[in-house]
Amino acid sequence: MVVNHGVPEDLQRRMIEAYSDFFDMKDEEKQRYNGERIFDPIAYNTSFSRTGTEVLYWRDTLTTKVHPTFHSPDQPQNFRLSSEEFARQTREITKQLLGAICESLGLEKNRMESSLSLECCYQTMLASLYPPCPQPDLALGLPPHSDSGLLTLIMQSRSSFSGLQVQHCGKWVPVQPILPNSFCIFVSDLLQIFSNGKFKSVVHRGMVDKRSSRLSVASLIGPPLEGVLVSPAHELVEAETKPDAYGGITYELIIYQPPQPPHHHTRARKRGSIKSRVLLSMSREMAVGSMSREMIVVDVTGHVTEDACRLDERGGCVSGDGRAGEG
Ligand SMILES: O=C(O)CCC(=O)C(=O)O
Ligand SMILES: [Fe+2]
């Protein structure tokens, strides 16, 4: 969780309202933004089925690419204004956190920013609406996954129902907005790779509820899609104990592998996706640090604080052992 991040509550409220107004628009209006391809600049998707059958995931999403080029639906009014400002502020927070993470790894603060060209970072805003679901035990809002980029920042609407869960010690733990006005931060796959496994990407999922709906807004940040190969920082690689087994991977390829011609298919399927191969070999071959799967309370007006927080089974905070506060 991050607190004292400096994003005004009023901007957060306007952003949540703008997304709620978007999802409240008529179907025909929303369909104008239907996304067909994964890298479309604006994409609205719904899992809603009028027949009510075979709905596995119970979620509507609006995805907008907001950096290096800013995109926004032109409806509802004021959406563009709030979203441009919110994207800018969350991008800055993410960069500050990545700087602090570099320092905690013993690297120069701007190590990631400069070597991964983060001035041209690829930032996506992804809003998810999980409407009430008549049979929540038969549906998931969002299946278990980890995000592909460096860091994900999540703002959750106030709701009595906490549907966001993280995998922790083999159990699913709800992430409650335990601190008012806080953002939830997830380490994502490329940070796991860059940090040579010291930071582990967080496996999470979205559950649904019979009565409550939930709206969350995620800002996902990674390096430019193409042209920047992410591999473990050489300072963190020791030839014998922690070798760098990968030639590096781009953000584009870890998000999406284009379909292979048929003769490649069997091999690709056997070996799994590039993403799972990279991460699997990392967890086998790398000595993994202990900063993983812990939520860190961070005050971005200062440095990463000592107040490392461990999740207890109820998603509350118990005092940390200080390790996650390094840096
Ligand atoms: O529902 C949420 O808060 C998280 C959404 C999410 O994990 C994602 O879109 O990748
Ligand atoms: Fe996610």
Side-chain angles (χ1 to χ4, degrees):
M1 292 278 161
V2 18
V3 293
N4 269 359
H5 40 65
V7 180
E9 276 189 69
D10 179 55
L11 176 60
Q12 295 177 56
R13 188 186 45 74
R14 280 190 283 125
M15 197 66 266
I16 295 277
E17 271 172 21
Y19 277 113
S20 308
D21 291 348
F22 177 88
F23 287 119
D24 282 346
M25 291 190 325
K26 292 201 184 79
D27 274 350
E28 310 84 84
E29 289 171 311
K30 287 185 286 193
Q31 301 303 342
R32 282 178 49 214
Y33 302 107
N34 267 0
E36 264 142 45
R37 289 172 306 263
I38 189 155
F39 296 113
D40 280 347
I42 303 180
Y44 163 70
N45 283 297
T46 179
S47 56
F48 181 74
S49 151
R50 291 196 184 279
T51 60
T53 53
E54 307 255 326
V55 178
L56 293 176
Y57 303 124
W58 199 262
R59 174 170 94 131
D60 292 351
T61 54
L62 175 65
T63 311
T64 50
K65 311 296 186 233
V66 291
H67 197 265
T69 310
F70 177 78
H71 299 275
S72 163
D74 38 25
Q75 294 289 332
Q77 252 195 352
N78 289 337
F79 188 99
R80 171 175 289 270
L81 215 62
S82 305
S83 134
E84 196 160 17
E85 187 53 23
F86 188 78
R88 190 186 62 74
Q89 295 202 16
T90 50
R91 192 161 62 243
E92 285 315 309
I93 293 169
T94 303
K95 285 193 193 170
Q96 285 188 50
L97 289 170
L98 290 172
I101 285 171
C102 280
E103 288 183 321
S104 80
L105 289 167
L107 305 173
E108 292 283 322
K109 189 173 180 183
N110 70 349
R111 176 70 169 76
M112 230 184 292
E113 175 130 20
S114 55
S115 61
L116 302 184
S117 307
L118 295 188
E119 73 287 353
C120 307
C121 68
Y122 188 73
Q123 182 185 16
T124 304
M125 298 248 290
L126 199 173
S128 307
L129 174 71
Y130 304 89
C133 174
Q135 289 182 286
D137 42 331
L138 297 184
L140 263 180
L142 175 66
H145 67 285
S146 58
D147 299 337
S148 303
L150 292 165
L151 277 186
T152 298
L153 178 153
I154 294 180
M155 169 175 71
Q156 303 194 63
S157 65
R158 296 225 167 89
S159 162
S160 51
F161 170 65
S162 125
L164 181 59
Q165 299 185 339
V166 294
Q167 209 171 51
H168 178 66
C169 302
K171 291 191 177 145
W172 287 106
V173 182
V175 179
Q176 277 138 5
I178 39 178
L179 298 168
N181 195 19
S182 57
F183 294 145
C184 171
I185 309 288
F186 286 150
V187 170
S188 308
D189 299 338
L190 290 180
L191 180 54
Q192 173 166 341
I193 292 173
F194 180 87
S195 69
N196 206 6
K198 287 246 159 42
F199 283 77
K200 280 283 203 63
S201 66
V202 178
V203 178
H204 52 286
R205 67 178 185 181
M207 306 302 283
V208 286
D209 186 56
K210 199 163 186 158
R211 283 179 202 87
S212 323
S213 67
R214 188 173 76 88
L215 178 68
S216 88
V217 180
S219 151
L220 304 107
I221 288 194
L225 277 185
E226 297 170 65
V228 176
L229 285 177
V230 183
S231 54
H234 65 83
E235 300 90 326
L236 306 174
V237 173
E238 290 156 28
E240 272 156 34
T241 53
K242 297 184 234 164
D244 170 4
Y246 339 96
I249 188 163
T250 61
Y251 193 15
E252 183 179 40
L253 215 52
I254 204 164
I255 294 176
Y256 178 69
Q257 269 180 282
Q260 304 285 330
H263 64 282
H264 281 138
H265 232 140
T266 352
R267 198 150 40 108
R269 208 176 288 146
K270 256 194 224 143
R271 293 164 64 198
S273 68
I274 289 193
K275 170 169 158 163
S276 58
R277 280 208 311 278
V278 171
L279 295 174
L280 197 68
S281 47
M282 287 205 64
S283 52
R284 271 204 219 107
E285 293 167 21
M286 305 291 163
V288 167
S290 65
M291 294 185 73
S292 58
R293 313 264 147 93
E294 289 172 357
M295 294 172 77
I296 306 172
V297 176
V298 172
D299 179 339
V300 294
T301 58
H303 290 288
V304 176
T305 66
E306 303 293 315
D307 304 334
C309 237
R310 275 245 173 94
L311 284 175
D312 68 12
E313 291 309 316
R314 297 174 315 283
C317 246
V318 296
S319 55
D321 58 9
R323 286 215 52 142
E326 284 168 25

